[in-house]
Amino acid sequence: MDIYATPTITERITGNPYVGRGIILGMSRDGQRAVAAYFIMGRSANSRNRVFALEDDALYTRPFDESLVEDPSLIIYAAVRKLDNRLIVTNGDQTDTVFQGLKEGRGFAESLRSREFEPDAPNFTPRISGLMTFGDRLNYEMSILKSADNAGSACNRFTYSYAALPGLGHFIHTYVTDGDPLPTFQGEPERVCIPDDIDGFADEIWTALDDDNKISLYVRSVDLHTGEVREKIFNKNSAES
């Protein structure tokens, strides 16, 4: 068994009907670009009624059809925000919690101490978060806050820190697969390879996600020498659909 194997994202998720929401952070194979990806899936009409939209250098989830919104509390939020040399990516409104905590001098894990898994029994969807820090060396952290049991009695907190390596990414998602209730993600963030062709990588993620349940995908790459940012968004819901 090669514990350092780096499967493709296709190998990781093809055939899995529901991995939920997912974050990938890492570095392109040539070591030239930092890469961050975030996607959402949905089973209910409320969850599926969403698109990604960029506003003021931040990524938001927005309702596709305002008239169909049932409960915006867990589906409408800022998913990606920047603060100085840091990029925050999360699956909920804890993006703002991390942003404010960093502004006030708290660390990533400390900022998340005030948050728990989502109050959506019986699933108790975990809150997953990532933070990329740009400096002399790129590094990133990932966090998952999840229920300690099937009753939501307590919150278990896990934080992982990585020095970025060429071609390596780490992938964390909310669920193992489909189910009722949905089985929460288990173990450490999964290793995935990140190629040099970031547009191709974005296409690969979108293609690998289950056609029935995928909703939106955002991929961002940053040139580590020039700071050039490239972004790509896929929305299943669109004006043309």
Side-chain angles (χ1 to χ4, degrees):
M1 178 181 181
D2 182 2
I3 63 170
Y4 298 112
T6 52
T8 65
I9 192 65
T10 297
E11 292 168 329
R12 282 288 187 200
I13 63 177
T14 295
N16 189 334
Y18 204 65
V19 292
R21 286 165 273 174
I23 298 170
I24 302 170
L25 300 180
M27 181 189 286
S28 60
R29 186 178 291 124
D30 60 12
Q32 299 300 304
R33 304 189 74 87
V35 179
Y38 177 59
F39 66 78
I40 59 175
M41 305 179 78
R43 300 188 305 173
S44 69
N46 194 44
S47 291
R48 292 183 174 189
N49 181 37
R50 289 183 287 175
V51 293
F52 281 169
L54 285 168
E55 300 174 23
D56 300 324
D57 205 27
L59 181 78
Y60 292 85
T61 62
R62 296 297 190 207
F64 175 60
D65 184 340
E66 297 264 5
S67 69
L68 298 178
V69 175
E70 299 169 12
D71 177 7
S73 62
L74 295 178
I75 66 167
I76 306 301
Y77 52 88
V80 179
R81 294 186 68 181
K82 271 190 64 182
L83 178 64
D84 301 326
N85 67 331
R86 291 166 290 189
L87 184 73
I88 306 159
V89 186
T90 92
N91 74 327
D93 63 9
Q94 74 269 23
T95 304
D96 296 332
T97 304
V98 174
F99 183 90
Q100 190 60 36
L102 295 176
K103 279 187 68 175
E104 296 173 358
R106 292 190 292 276
F108 177 62
E110 185 184 1
S111 297
L112 287 165
R113 291 294 301 176
S114 64
R115 305 305 304 269
E116 294 190 347
F117 50 86
E118 295 180 1
D120 60 342
N123 297 314
F124 300 116
T125 298
R127 292 190 185 272
I128 55 173
S129 307
L131 177 69
M132 277 192 142
T133 302
F134 298 81
D136 292 337
R137 178 164 187 172
L138 177 69
N139 61 72
Y140 54 95
E141 299 171 79
M142 304 185 97
S143 164
I144 183 167
L145 312 178
K146 60 184 183 177
S147 180
D149 58 21
N150 62 5
S153 302
C155 180
N156 290 340
R157 302 166 183 277
F158 303 87
T159 304
Y160 305 88
S161 299
Y162 301 98
L165 295 175
L168 176 63
H170 286 88
F171 172 39
I172 194 167
H173 43 101
T174 51
Y175 311 120
V176 175
T177 189
D178 205 354
D180 189 15
L182 290 159
T184 294
F185 179 87
Q186 299 292 301
E188 296 181 19
E190 300 165 343
R191 293 165 63 94
V192 294
C193 65
I194 298 183
D196 294 336
D197 179 4
I198 304 306
D199 287 338
F201 182 55
D203 292 339
E204 182 188 4
I205 300 170
W206 188 245
T207 300
L209 289 167
D210 182 79
D211 279 339
D212 290 336
N213 293 317
K214 66 185 178 185
I215 304 300
S216 296
L217 165 68
Y218 169 78
V219 178
R220 178 189 186 106
S221 70
V222 182
D223 189 297
L224 294 171
H225 300 287
T226 68
E228 175 209 24
V229 174
R230 291 167 53 192
E231 299 167 296
K232 193 165 186 178
I233 291 179
F234 296 78
N235 282 316
K236 190 173 184 179
N237 295 316
S238 68
E240 292 78 31
S241 63

